[in-house]
Amino acid sequence: MSANAMPISNDRFAEAIVDLPIGNLHAKAAELRNSIAHLVRSNEQLQPFAEDGDRDCADAIEENGDVMDKMEARIALLKREVEGRGLPWGEHVPTVVNGKLEAQRREDQDHMDGVGHSGRDTPATASSSSRTQGGTLGDEELSSSLRERMDADMQGNDDGVHL
């Protein structure tokens, strides 16, 4: 993207995702959540400097907040598209509350993944128990595996970028 190119509007984003496969919609949501997590961490690191009067840090925090709001809006559009196809979203959705990530899980997640408890299997259990025939992961299994990995990454203090 060039330095003066602007991101597409939410209306154009909604149009662009109509023809994407479900797996791509979940992958885009995961990418946006990862970006939000990094921005939250960045804001946490900038906050002490902003409190000490550093105007640049305060401006960066404000700008990051605006960017996170736009990313949350896009996640909502992805959710609307998935549910509009008659499929459950059923995602573990990190949201930003007072500058902190707060994980929320839908009430029906336990029913969807069939575990009958908190809904959190270990990655090994989830992978081995939810494989489709042929040893490949379906859209929901892949999405679940990615969510678990993102949860683990957000719990740690790993500052690296994971692609």
Side-chain angles (χ1 to χ4, degrees):
M1 179 187 287
S2 71
N4 57 0
M6 298 297 292
I8 65 172
S9 68
N10 282 343
D11 290 338
R12 294 214 38 222
F13 181 82
E15 290 173 21
I17 63 175
V18 168
D19 294 325
L20 292 177
I22 294 297
N24 289 30
L25 299 175
H26 287 292
K28 186 63 181 174
E31 175 187 326
L32 290 167
R33 284 190 203 101
N34 186 48
S35 295
I36 289 169
H38 284 282
L39 288 169
V40 166
R41 260 187 261 162
S42 175
N43 281 357
E44 288 170 353
Q45 293 170 353
L46 292 169
Q47 189 64 38
F49 300 104
E51 289 171 357
D52 286 341
D54 187 323
R55 190 69 215 150
D56 289 335
C57 290
D59 290 346
I61 290 170
E62 186 176 331
E63 184 177 324
N64 286 350
D66 293 344
V67 171
M68 287 187 282
D69 289 345
K70 291 175 184 175
M71 289 178 176
E72 289 285 354
R74 293 209 173 172
I75 291 171
L77 290 171
L78 291 163
K79 177 183 178 191
R80 186 176 74 189
E81 177 62 29
V82 169
E83 290 177 339
R85 295 181 191 186
L87 299 169
W89 182 246
E91 291 285 329
H92 171 157
V93 182
T95 57
V96 178
V97 177
N98 295 329
K100 301 279 184 189
L101 282 180
E102 182 179 305
Q104 296 180 338
R105 183 177 290 273
R106 291 175 55 133
E107 293 277 328
D108 57 32
Q109 182 65 37
D110 287 345
H111 300 304
M112 287 179 25
D113 61 18
V115 294
H117 58 282
S118 68
R120 292 186 179 261
D121 283 345
T122 62
T125 305
S127 298
S128 62
S129 65
S130 61
R131 298 237 181 223
T132 60
Q133 287 183 328
T136 60
L137 293 174
D139 287 342
E140 288 301 315
E141 293 91 359
L142 179 59
S143 177
S144 176
S145 177
L146 288 171
R147 284 192 312 271
E148 289 169 359
R149 287 183 184 179
M150 286 178 59
D151 286 345
D153 287 346
M154 286 193 294
Q155 297 297 325
N157 290 327
D158 185 352
D159 292 331
V161 175
H162 302 282
L163 301 178

